[in-house]
């Protein structure tokens, strides 16, 4: 192209197949993001169910990981709607959606979708282990609160070590008896 020539967008810049890239990007974004959301919900839900068996009171408190995983699917849906909205329809029989925009939308869709997929896996793994650890902590605290405290609510002089009178030592053994 020589200096001073007019630049005209033609077939090579806006081919008829370019909108396919935009819709492919929107589909990949929504699909991958929702797979990530499903993965995170599944793994976090497993942890919540295993913790909820022993500690049903902690279920509502530990729903955060499942909600965060669900937000990933919504985020992917929003980005795919933005991408699909950027795909322009042909104007007077001529395509106005360029290859550049198509490939840019593919990159944006893959970036969002793969990020949500990785985040969903991470939320699921961390959510599952965190919820189970919270259940174990609650179990330990429950056991700690249920054991009797020394000197509280027991007979006079009882120290809680099994011996009345608080001797604390072993009972003397009579070595001369045969019975």
């Amino acid at each position: 192209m020589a200096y001073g020539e007019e630049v005209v967008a033609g077939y090579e810049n806006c081919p008829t197949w370019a909108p396919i890239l935009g819709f492919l990007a929107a589909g990949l974004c929504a699909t991958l993001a929702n797979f990530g959301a499903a993965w995170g919900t599944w793994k976090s839900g497993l942890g919540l169910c295993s913790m909820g068996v022993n500690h049903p009171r902690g279920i509502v408190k530990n729903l955060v990981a499942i909600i965060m995983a669900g937000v990933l699917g919504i985020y992917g849906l929003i980005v795919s709607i933005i991408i699909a909205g950027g795909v322009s329809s042909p104007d007077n029989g001529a395509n106005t959606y360029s290859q550049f925009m198509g490939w840019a939308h593919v990159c944006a869709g893959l970036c969002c979708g793969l990020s949500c997929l990785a985040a969903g896996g991470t939320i699921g793994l961390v959510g599952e282990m965190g919820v189970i650890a919270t259940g174990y902590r609650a179990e330990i605290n429950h056991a700690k609160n249920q054991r009797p405290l020394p000197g509280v609510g027991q007979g006079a002089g009882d120290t809680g070590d099994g011996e009345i009178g608080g001797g604390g030592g072993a009972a003397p053994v009579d070595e001369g008896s045969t019975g």
Side-chain angles (χ1 to χ4, degrees), residues 22-147:
F23 293 121
L24 176 73
L28 283 173
C29 179
T31 302
L32 291 172
N34 283 300
F35 271 131
W39 188 14
T41 302
W42 169 63
K43 291 292 283 180
S44 296
L46 283 177
L48 190 65
C49 288
S50 66
M51 186 274 307
V53 170
N54 294 329
H55 304 284
R57 290 185 196 168
I59 290 177
V60 175
K61 290 189 257 181
N62 290 305
L63 285 174
V64 174
I66 294 174
I67 294 168
M68 284 175 42
V71 168
L72 293 175
I74 295 168
Y75 179 65
L77 178 67
I78 290 169
V79 172
S80 67
I81 289 172
I82 291 170
I83 290 172
V87 178
S88 59
S89 61
D91 188 27
N92 293 330
N95 187 18
T96 58
Y97 187 74
S98 69
Q99 247 185 344
F100 175 79
M101 286 302 295
W103 288 112
H105 284 155
V106 167
C107 291
L110 283 175
C111 181
C112 174
L114 291 174
S115 295
C116 288
L117 182 65
T122 304
I123 288 171
L125 197 65
V126 171
E128 180 184 22
M129 293 299 128
V131 168
I132 290 173
T134 302
Y136 285 147
R137 188 185 71 209
E139 188 174 313
I140 290 169
N141 287 338
H142 181 71
K144 196 185 302 182
N145 292 336
Q146 294 300 319
R147 72 176 176 196

